[in-house]
Amino acid sequence: MLYRQIFKLGFKKSYEYKVNFYMGLVSTVFPLTIQYFLWSGLFENADGGMVFGYTFMQMVSYAVFAVLTTKMISPSFVYEINMEIKEGGLAKYLVRPLSYFKYHFMGYLGEKIGIILCASILIIGFWAGAGWFAGGELSVSRLLLYFASLNLGLILNFTIFYGISSMGFWMIDASGAIFITTLIGTIVSGGIFPLDIFSQGIQNALHLLPFPYTSYFSVSILCGTIGKEGIAAGLGLQLFWIAICGLLSKALWKIGMKRYIAVGG
C-alpha cells in the first residue's frame, strides 16, 4: 500500500508542470532534425545506399526510436538523490519503515508512466508509417519484443544509475560527475547514434558493459537489425545485468552509508 501511494505520487509529480512535460517531448524534435540533415549528407555520398550497414530509412528510424527510448528511461532521480545526500535529507528516510531503493524505484516508475504512454504512441505511429513508406512487412512480434526489452531496459537503467548516485557519499557535490556520467552513458548505450558507427573492437568492448542493453538492444529489435538468436541472448543479458547491477548498487550504498554523516535536512 505504501509503495503504491509512492507510485501514484510519482505519477502526479510528472503532471505537476504540464508545460514542462509536453515541452520535454517536443524538445526531441531538435536533435532529430540535426540528425536527419547529418545522415542525409552522409547517405548522399554513400556507395550502395548503405552507411554502417544501415539504409537511410533504418538510420532515421533508429534515431527516432533511440531518442524516444532514451527519454522513457532517463534517470532524472539521480540528481534528487545527490541533493538528499548533500543536504542531509537522506537521514529522514533512514528512520522511516521503508526501503530507500524501493521508494525511489516506485517513484521513478510513477514519473515515467506518462512519458512512456505518450512516447509509445509516437513510436507505434512512426513504426507503422516507416514500414508502410518502405513497403516492408510490419512485424508485430518485434514490436512486442521491443516493449518487453524496454521494460527490462527501464529497470536496468535504474539499477545502474542508482549505483552511480552513490558518488554523493564520496564527493561534496556529485552533480557535475553525474552529468558527465549520464552523458557518456547515453552515448555508449546507443541513445544518440547506433553503436555500429564505432570500430569492431570498441563495439566488442561496449557489449561487455550493461549500457547497450538499456537502449541500443531494444531499438535494434524494432529496426530489424538483430536476429531471433540475438534477441533471445539480449533478453537474457538484460536479466543478467539487472541482477549484477542490482548487487553492485547495493554494495556501493552499503559502503557509502558507513561514510554518511547527516548534516542539515
Side-chain angles (χ1 to χ4, degrees), residues 4-82:
R4 186 185 303 171
Q5 291 302 316
I6 293 170
F7 176 87
K8 289 180 180 178
L9 287 173
F11 179 72
K12 290 179 181 178
K13 183 179 177 182
S14 68
Y15 279 100
E16 269 184 11
Y17 304 100
K18 292 184 179 180
V19 174
N20 289 345
F21 176 82
Y22 291 114
M23 284 302 294
L25 281 175
V26 173
S27 67
T28 61
V29 173
F30 301 108
L32 287 174
T33 302
I34 293 171
Q35 285 208 54
Y36 176 81
F37 288 110
L38 171 65
W39 293 119
S40 294
L42 288 174
F43 273 92
E44 282 180 6
N45 302 312
D47 294 329
M50 301 282 284
V51 173
F52 301 116
Y54 288 77
T55 64
F56 179 70
M57 182 54 70
Q58 282 180 323
M59 190 62 81
V60 171
S61 297
Y62 183 95
V64 172
F65 298 146
V67 167
L68 291 174
T69 298
T70 300
K71 200 75 176 175
M72 286 188 278
I73 67 172
S74 59
S76 56
F77 66 91
V78 289
Y79 294 100
E80 182 180 344
I81 292 177
N82 176 58

Side-chain angles (χ1 to χ4, degrees), residues 112-191:
K112 290 298 175 185
I113 287 298
I115 192 74
I116 287 174
L117 291 174
C118 292
S120 294
I121 292 171
L122 294 174
I123 284 174
I124 292 172
F126 188 86
W127 168 77
W132 174 81
F133 182 80
E137 184 179 348
L138 295 175
S139 175
V140 177
S141 61
R142 279 191 175 272
L143 182 65
L144 295 176
L145 285 168
Y146 162 77
F147 283 112
S149 68
L150 174 67
N151 289 328
L152 293 176
L154 185 75
I155 298 170
L156 175 57
N157 213 44
F158 178 85
T159 59
I160 291 172
F161 283 93
Y162 184 75
I164 289 173
S165 67
S166 67
M167 288 192 294
F169 292 117
W170 285 272
M171 299 180 181
I172 296 176
D173 184 2
S175 57
I178 288 172
F179 173 78
I180 294 171
T181 306
T182 304
L183 179 61
I184 295 173
T186 301
I187 294 171
V188 299
S189 68

Side-chain angles (χ1 to χ4, degrees), residues 86-118:
K86 177 185 174 183
E87 299 179 355
L90 174 61
K92 65 185 178 184
Y93 297 98
L94 302 180
V95 296
R96 294 176 180 176
L98 55 76
S99 164
Y100 190 69
F101 177 90
K102 291 180 181 178
Y103 169 81
H104 273 288
F105 181 63
M106 295 307 294
Y108 172 70
L109 292 181
E111 288 181 28
K112 290 298 175 185
I113 287 298
I115 192 74
I116 287 174
L117 291 174
C118 292

